Amino acid sequence: PFERVLVDDVSKDHAEHVMEELRQNDARVKLIQMARNFGQHPALLCGFSHAEGDFIITMDDDLQHPPEEIPKLINTIKERDDVDVIIASYEGRKHGPIRRLGTKVSVWATSSFRLIRRFLVEAMLQTNTYLPQIGNLLVLSSNRIINVPVHHDARAYGKSGYSFRRLVKDLLYDITSHSALPLLLVRDFGICSFLVSVGLGIFFLIRYFLYGVSVEGWTSLMLVLLAFFGITLLSIGIMGIYLMNILNESKKMPHYVIRRKDV
């Protein structure tokens, strides 16, 4: 026994009609339509809230995740009681160059073809974080995660919704939401700049008293000032991103709004 939970995140190809036909022909199909496009991860959380099985499998609808590979995940989880999550690793990834680059760069990137035990799904549903990301929640919730190699097909229709701009935006959010790396880098740069300035100040002071040579050149002075002003503005911008993330978290907006459902 199994169920299929189909979430229509306001698709532009009238997918809801196909979903309704599948629902009419098979009672195991659950149909959920969002009020607007909330994004991939909120749509997955919406599907999680309507799933009833002991194991939940997530997969994309672009035909790059072959349903024939599902038994590999199921058989593995049955054999491994010590595993909570199985994430598919692709044999011969068929993503485009931009998507492959984004996957390699993002420190939190994981495949969206995965099998999850129900208790982890219920734990993720309890979170109320801004812009939730399933891969992040899984990594933070359990370390009993393994990979199983599966076949990866080429996209049959259309193109990926993850443009280069979208990948960069997601990467920046990942870094500023789950890491203090930008702030630490700016801090370290400021410490190094201070030490260099102290060293140069001592050097020029000794040279002035020993040789009577003063520092000349307004050009170098202006370049240094511009550089430090730029670093200052960059630091303010980074702190602004963190403050905006805090503001968005404090709003506690719903992850999704359901327009209609047939479950």
Side-chain angles (χ1 to χ4, degrees), residues 137-155:
L137 296 177
L138 289 175
V139 172
L140 294 174
S141 301
S142 174
N143 60 356
R144 298 176 181 270
I145 302 175
I146 65 171
N147 293 108
V148 169
V150 301
H151 183 67
H152 193 243
D153 290 336
R155 179 180 290 271

Side-chain angles (χ1 to χ4, degrees), residues 64 93-103 152 155 160:
Q64 292 191 272
R93 182 183 292 270
K94 300 297 183 180
H95 284 316
I98 293 179
R99 183 67 182 276
R100 289 199 302 268
L101 176 62
T103 302
H152 193 243
R155 179 180 290 271
S160 173

Side-chain angles (χ1 to χ4, degrees), residues 179-197:
S179 170
L181 179 61
L183 295 177
L184 295 177
L185 290 177
V186 172
R187 179 204 64 183
D188 294 341
F189 185 83
I191 294 174
C192 293
S193 300
F194 173 75
L195 294 177
V196 170
S197 63

Side-chain angles (χ1 to χ4, degrees), residues 76-225:
T76 303
I77 200 71
K78 287 182 177 180
E79 297 171 356
R80 298 286 304 272
D81 291 335
D82 60 324
V83 173
D84 296 334
V85 182
I86 297 178
I87 299 178
S89 59
Y90 300 136
E91 298 173 340
R93 182 183 292 270
K94 300 297 183 180
H95 284 316
I98 293 179
R99 183 67 182 276
R100 289 199 302 268
L101 176 62
T103 302
K104 290 181 180 179
V105 171
S106 179
V107 296
W108 297 100
T110 59
S111 164
S112 54
F113 192 11
R114 54 208 159 202
L115 186 151
I116 312 168
R117 291 189 184 272
R118 180 167 189 82
F119 79 91
L120 276 181
V121 169
E122 294 177 349
M124 288 189 288
L125 290 174
Q126 299 301 317
T127 63
N128 192 23
T129 182
Y130 175 69
L131 292 181
Q133 294 179 320
I134 305 303
N136 297 346
L137 296 177
L138 289 175
V139 172
L140 294 174
S141 301
S142 174
N143 60 356
R144 298 176 181 270
I145 302 175
I146 65 171
N147 293 108
V148 169
V150 301
H151 183 67
H152 193 243
D153 290 336
R155 179 180 290 271
Y157 304 99
K159 60 181 180 179
S160 173
Y162 283 87
S163 62
F164 180 76
R165 180 179 180 182
R166 170 73 180 277
L167 290 172
V168 171
K169 181 180 178 181
D170 288 350
L171 176 62
L172 290 177
Y173 175 75
D174 283 346
I175 294 175
T176 56
S177 297
H178 305 97
S179 170
L181 179 61
L183 295 177
L184 295 177
L185 290 177
V186 172
R187 179 204 64 183
D188 294 341
F189 185 83
I191 294 174
C192 293
S193 300
F194 173 75
L195 294 177
V196 170
S197 63
V198 171
L200 288 176
I202 295 175
F203 170 76
F204 289 128
L205 186 63
I206 293 175
R207 190 175 69 165
Y208 174 76
F209 282 112
L210 292 180
Y211 306 103
V213 179
S214 60
V215 179
E216 298 180 358
W218 287 101
T219 302
S220 58
L221 178 60
M222 292 304 297
L223 288 175
V224 171
L225 288 176

